[in-house]
């Protein structure tokens, strides 16, 4: 919770040298616009949406083979179109930043030395993979799926696929087989790239059996490339080695880029619904290009030649965001492994070694460092560190104190929040505004975001539903295989037609700063990774002793959370230690370690609506101590006694777990 105490104020030099100040000066010269402060600039950007995004196109000098005819058309979200007529390529804008005097990528694998990859090497490898994709028959619009850790080959594969207009989709190798199949089967990939395994906390994890199951389950895959990451001799029946695939193409050649329409799909990311398969969220080339240019330049103030790090896996949209730092002329720092090996100082040590200019991580990581009493600022030379980015969960006020006392007293702590849905941030940093303890600095330019009460009225200094009133270019163009867009509409626009309901609780202060207090819907936000309850329920369905279940994620003080699983059992079954181990082991195997609940409790019944939907949101509110009596119609509950049971246990639950 923010008390609006100022933790940091930018120096005059910091403000004047920022990309945001350069943009403000550009606006004055080229558009005759001048603003007193960031609040005024933001207000203009959301009141004049088309005019603002036209300046993004002009300011960043977007390369387009054909001109656009109109910036924005359409009456109401989501039925809008951006920059119709324009054709471009995302990867082309990345290679626009190539420079012989700085590395394209920096890679650090657990227990291994740092590797720097030059632009010439990257371009050659992307060209070789591009040619291999073409030889395999991959064409514009085809899907290329990957099952990879955060390694340079993942960047190479994405850029190669993107360069020919293919659609990228990736899962992290810590995802279980069913989780991966549920995602990739929806998009019918023709080309599949996988690593034989990964390492974490000093242990190797072979994924060859999982790869075989994935390939056998998805009939559309006709080409498989295996990266021998754990074992250089790893093989897989029917697969071509990554090394052999690159060797099939001459090293010399010109990397070419296929221009595609602005709203051509660039990748498919996955966020989970609570009653079915994960949503296959599809973004556009042009939309994410403009959003990434905007955020990295203005809200993270990334400059050419800087090293940009974010601790992420390929299964999180922050991997896409990390890669996007190349658009700003920065070098992304890829890290594969545990942030706690040999201890939590590992990433701070890397910050000194490289050095890292922008350090991105999750709120739980910073909180863990705080709880261990680390003092990176005393232990390491962090003089090059300019910003610390935090996302994935609310960052507690105490962690702000720790950063400024124990990391660096003049660092810019720019907490941000957005997500898979837009592959950027709605809210984040501002280099010209103060940082308030426990708060995110601002709403991003072009993001018309407000807090709403239950009547749809805007709120200030009060907790409300997060609503975005105007379209943003990187909002999904659609969900894959969502006939008629019904699931898309239901996900964001069912409550407020024409306005995006994101599912977060937010409070916007008069200062313009804000706090986010967790999910208002039933989606699980587990350590920054969204998890759909349906994935866990599918596992429970296969356990004989379990009759039913309900999983929730509840935010605690201090930036932590707790994820309980409530189960009802078949007659005669008991919740023994052995059954708990079976449930947890099954979830871990089928999904991922993040899906495993913090504890399992037996209840007499799971509450349902009359239409047969589990009442996760009301139960979450009950356990958090909210009075739901005024907005829950018990006549609409199929088994009201189950709701009453959760009300009865809520006080003891909060005392013990929250």
């Amino acid at each position: 919770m923010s008390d609006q105490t100022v933790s940091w104020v930018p120096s005059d030099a910091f403000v004047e040298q920022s990309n945001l100040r350069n943009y403000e000066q550009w606006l004055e010269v080229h558009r005759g616009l001048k603003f007193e402060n960031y609040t005024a600039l933001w207000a203009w950007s959301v009141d004049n949406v088309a005019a603002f995004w036209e300046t993004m196109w002009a300011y960043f000098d977007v390369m387009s083979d054909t001109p656009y005819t109109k910036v924005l058309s359409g009456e109401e979200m989501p039925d809008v179109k951006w920059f119709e007529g324009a054709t471009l390529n995302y990867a082309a804008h990345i290679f626009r930043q190539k420079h012989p005097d700085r590395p394209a990528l920096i890679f650090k694998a657990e227990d291994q030395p740092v590797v720097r990859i030059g632009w010439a090497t990257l371009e050659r490898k992307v060209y070789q993979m591009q040619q291999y994709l073409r030889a395999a028959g991959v064409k514009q619009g085809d899907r290329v799926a990957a099952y990879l850790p955060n390694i340079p080959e993942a960047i190479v594969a994405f850029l190669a696929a993107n360069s020919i207009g293919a659609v990228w989709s990736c899962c992290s190798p810590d995802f279980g087989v069913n989780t991966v199949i549920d995602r990739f089967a929806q998009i019918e990939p023709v080309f599949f790239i996988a690593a034989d395994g990964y390492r974490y906390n000093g242990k190797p994890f072979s994924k060859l059996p999982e790869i075989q199951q994935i390939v056998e389950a998805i009939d559309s895959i006709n080409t498989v490339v295996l990266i021998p990451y754990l074992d250089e001799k790893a093989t897989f029946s029917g697969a071509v080695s990554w090394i052999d695939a690159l060797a099939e193409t001459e090293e010399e050649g010109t990397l070419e880029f296929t221009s595609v329409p602005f709203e051509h799909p660039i990748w498919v990311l996955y966020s989970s619904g609570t009653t079915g398969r994960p949503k296959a969220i599809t973004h556009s080339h042009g939309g994410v290009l403009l959003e990434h240019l905007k955020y990295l330049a203005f809200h993270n103030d990334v400059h050419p030649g800087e090293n940009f790090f974010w601790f992420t896996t390929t299964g999180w949209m922050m991997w896409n965001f990390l890669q996007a730092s190349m658009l700003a002329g920065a070098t992304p720092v890829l890290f594969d492994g545990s942030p706690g090996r040999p201890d939590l100082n590992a990433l701070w040590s890397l910050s000194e070694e490289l050095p890292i200019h922008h350090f991105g991580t999750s709120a739980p990581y910073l909180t863990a460092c705080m709880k261990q009493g680390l003092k990176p600022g005393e232990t390491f030379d962090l003089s090059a560190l300019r910003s610390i980015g935090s996302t994935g969960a609310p960052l507690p006020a105490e962690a702000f104190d720790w950063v400024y006392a124990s990391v660096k007293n003049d660092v810019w702590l720019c907490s941000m929040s957005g997500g898979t849905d837009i592959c950027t941030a709605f809210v984040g940093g501002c280099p010209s505004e103060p940082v308030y303890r426990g708060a995110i600095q601002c709403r991003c330019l072009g993001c018309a975001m407000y807090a709403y009460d239950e009547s749809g009225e805007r709120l200030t200094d009060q907790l409300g539903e997060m609503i975005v009133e105007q379209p943003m270019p990187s909002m999904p163009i659609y969900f894959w295989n969502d006939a008629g867009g019904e699931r898309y509409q239901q996900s964001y626009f069912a409550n407020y037609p024409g306005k995006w309901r994101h599912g977060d609780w937010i409070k916007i202060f008069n200062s313009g700063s804000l706090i986010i207090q967790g999910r208002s819907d039933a989606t699980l936000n587990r350590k920054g990774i969204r998890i759909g309850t349906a994935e866990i329920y599918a596992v429970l369905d296969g356990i004989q002793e379990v009759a039913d279940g309900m999983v929730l994620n509840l935010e605690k003080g201090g930036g932590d959370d707790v994820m309980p699983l409530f189960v009802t059992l078949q007659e005669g079954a008991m919740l023994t230690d052995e059954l708990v181990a079976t449930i947890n082991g099954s979830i871990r195997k089928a999904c991922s370690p993040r899906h495993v609940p913090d504890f399992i409790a037996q209840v007499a019944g799971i509450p349902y609506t009359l239409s047969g939907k589990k009442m996760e949101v009301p139960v979450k509110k009950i356990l958090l101590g909210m009075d739901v009596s005024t907005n829950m119609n018990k006549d609409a509950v199929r088994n009201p006694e189950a709701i009453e049971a959760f009300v009865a246990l809520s006080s003891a639950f909060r005392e013990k777990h929250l």
Side-chain angles (χ1 to χ4, degrees), residues 413-525:
L413 179 54
C414 42
S415 190
M416 64 184 288
S417 181
T420 305
D421 309 88
I422 57 169
C423 201
T424 184
F426 292 111
V427 296
C430 180
S432 61
E433 293 292 306
V435 170
Y436 292 95
R437 181 176 183 265
I440 298 173
Q441 281 182 287
C442 68
R443 289 168 283 186
C444 293
L445 295 176
C447 178
M449 191 195 80
Y450 301 91
Y452 273 28
D453 64 15
E454 292 182 357
S455 301
E457 299 296 324
R458 295 179 184 176
L459 297 170
T460 301
D461 280 335
Q462 297 181 60
L463 199 64
E465 282 276 3
M466 174 185 160
I467 304 296
V468 180
E469 296 183 348
Q470 298 289 343
M472 297 169 62
S474 69
M475 287 175 172
I477 46 176
Y478 46 72
F479 294 167
W480 205 273
N481 280 341
D482 178 25
E486 293 180 9
R487 201 175 184 202
Y488 186 15
Q489 283 275 0
Q490 186 65 31
S491 296
Y492 309 115
F493 304 104
N495 297 76
Y496 303 92
K499 297 179 181 180
W500 175 292
R501 175 186 174 272
H502 192 59
D504 278 337
W505 285 313
I506 64 167
K507 180 186 288 187
I508 303 171
F509 298 101
N510 283 320
S511 64
S513 65
L514 62 135
I515 57 173
I516 296 178
Q517 292 196 335
R519 302 292 298 167
S520 63
D521 61 12
T523 303
L524 309 176
N525 191 339

Side-chain angles (χ1 to χ4, degrees), residues 59 119 325 383 421 489 525 561 626:
Y59 178 81
W119 276 101
S325 64
S383 57
D421 309 88
Q489 283 275 0
N525 191 339
D561 56 46
M626 299 179 184

Side-chain angles (χ1 to χ4, degrees), residues 139-165:
K139 58 187 182 301
Q140 179 178 327
D142 285 345
R143 276 74 66 204
V144 174
Y147 189 47
L148 298 173
N150 187 14
I151 56 179
E153 289 86 349
I155 302 287
V156 170
F158 163 72
L159 292 173
N162 184 268
S163 70
I164 62 174

Side-chain angles (χ1 to χ4, degrees), residues 295-569:
Y295 192 92
L296 287 156
F298 301 149
H299 297 287
N300 218 139
D301 198 42
V302 179
H303 291 258
E306 294 183 328
N307 295 329
F308 185 91
F309 167 78
W310 211 287
F311 180 74
T312 182
T313 68
T314 59
W316 191 16
M317 53 76 49
M318 291 309 300
W319 179 81
N320 306 70
F321 191 83
L322 167 64
Q323 180 178 237
S325 64
M326 301 170 83
L327 293 169
T331 300
V333 178
L334 315 178
F335 180 85
D336 181 47
S338 169
R341 181 173 173 84
D343 54 46
L344 284 176
N345 272 319
L347 297 181
W348 301 112
S349 176
L350 185 64
S351 298
E352 175 187 65
E353 179 182 356
L354 296 182
I356 288 172
H357 301 94
H358 301 277
F359 182 101
T361 185
S362 66
Y365 172 79
L366 293 176
T367 303
C369 290
M370 175 185 70
K371 290 181 176 179
Q372 286 201 9
L374 300 188
K375 296 185 177 181
E378 295 180 8
T379 310
F380 306 102
D381 177 5
L382 302 180
S383 57
L385 184 63
R386 294 186 57 226
S387 78
I388 294 178
S390 172
T391 194
L395 185 65
E398 294 79 9
F400 281 67
D401 299 339
W402 175 80
V403 165
Y404 285 104
S406 300
V407 181
K408 195 175 182 184
N409 61 11
D410 64 347
V411 74
W412 177 28
L413 179 54
C414 42
S415 190
M416 64 184 288
S417 181
T420 305
D421 309 88
I422 57 169
C423 201
T424 184
F426 292 111
V427 296
C430 180
S432 61
E433 293 292 306
V435 170
Y436 292 95
R437 181 176 183 265
I440 298 173
Q441 281 182 287
C442 68
R443 289 168 283 186
C444 293
L445 295 176
C447 178
M449 191 195 80
Y450 301 91
Y452 273 28
D453 64 15
E454 292 182 357
S455 301
E457 299 296 324
R458 295 179 184 176
L459 297 170
T460 301
D461 280 335
Q462 297 181 60
L463 199 64
E465 282 276 3
M466 174 185 160
I467 304 296
V468 180
E469 296 183 348
Q470 298 289 343
M472 297 169 62
S474 69
M475 287 175 172
I477 46 176
Y478 46 72
F479 294 167
W480 205 273
N481 280 341
D482 178 25
E486 293 180 9
R487 201 175 184 202
Y488 186 15
Q489 283 275 0
Q490 186 65 31
S491 296
Y492 309 115
F493 304 104
N495 297 76
Y496 303 92
K499 297 179 181 180
W500 175 292
R501 175 186 174 272
H502 192 59
D504 278 337
W505 285 313
I506 64 167
K507 180 186 288 187
I508 303 171
F509 298 101
N510 283 320
S511 64
S513 65
L514 62 135
I515 57 173
I516 296 178
Q517 292 196 335
R519 302 292 298 167
S520 63
D521 61 12
T523 303
L524 309 176
N525 191 339
R526 183 66 163 167
K527 308 301 182 187
I529 305 298
R530 288 198 195 173
I531 296 171
T533 55
E535 299 180 71
I536 294 174
Y537 298 151
V539 177
L540 298 181
D541 287 342
I543 300 175
Q544 186 174 354
E545 296 89 343
V546 177
D548 203 355
M550 175 180 285
V551 64
L552 305 168
N553 191 241
L554 301 99
E555 292 73 27
K556 299 168 60 176
D560 292 334
D561 56 46
V562 60
M563 192 169 88
L565 172 62
F566 299 98
V567 296
T568 61
L569 301 180

Side-chain angles (χ1 to χ4, degrees), residues 612-627:
K613 294 182 179 180
K614 292 182 183 182
M615 300 182 65
E616 293 150 320
V617 172
V619 171
K620 178 176 179 178
K621 290 181 177 180
I622 288 168
L623 295 180
L624 287 172
M626 299 179 184
D627 183 7

